[in-house]
Amino acid sequence: MVWKKTACVLCANACGLEVLVEGNRIVKVRGDQDSPISEGYICRKGNHVAYHQHHADRLLHPLKRVGDRFEQVTWDQAVEEIAARVQGVLAEHGPRAL
């Protein structure tokens, strides 16, 4: 097991975390005392980041709505299609639309 420094991504505060990792799984979490942002503080969400990271229903691949269902697509396809739609919004409505 090894402690790794990271940041929480569950809200905009991005609190500093230290996570104990065993076999590519988070097994324990604590606040990072060296973090200039949070100085060791973590909220309930950050303290339970392993639950969200390893949840059985967590999406692991991009999905695209096709009719009334979702189909798995590649990351390249997802990024290309999203970029094309954003470019369309920019062309039609200008950069302030984003």
Side-chain angles (χ1 to χ4, degrees), residues 6 9 12 17 23 42 50-51 80-82 84 94:
T6 187
V9 297
L17 301 178
I42 55 173
Y51 168 82
E80 288 171 10
E81 289 183 18
I82 292 167

Side-chain angles (χ1 to χ4, degrees), residues 7 21-22 25 28 36-37 40 46 56 66-67 72 78 87-88 93 95 97-98:
V21 178
E22 179 179 26
R25 291 189 64 85
K28 189 169 183 172
I37 296 171
V66 178
Q72 183 177 325
Q87 289 297 325
H93 303 286
L98 300 178

Side-chain angles (χ1 to χ4, degrees), residues 75-97:
W75 284 104
D76 287 342
Q77 179 182 348
V79 169
E80 288 171 10
E81 289 183 18
I82 292 167
R85 291 182 76 174
V86 169
Q87 289 297 325
V89 170
L90 286 171
E92 186 173 342
H93 303 286
R96 293 176 92 30

Side-chain angles (χ1 to χ4, degrees), residues 45-94:
K45 290 184 289 185
N47 198 39
H48 292 91
V49 71
Y51 168 82
H52 300 286
Q53 179 71 25
H54 304 300
H55 195 279
D57 292 333
R58 180 176 177 217
L59 295 178
L60 301 176
H61 309 280
L63 300 175
K64 178 180 179 179
R65 184 188 306 268
V66 178
D68 61 348
R69 60 189 173 82
F70 290 92
E71 291 183 0
Q72 183 177 325
V73 295
T74 66
W75 284 104
D76 287 342
Q77 179 182 348
V79 169
E80 288 171 10
E81 289 183 18
I82 292 167
R85 291 182 76 174
V86 169
Q87 289 297 325
V89 170
L90 286 171
E92 186 173 342
H93 303 286

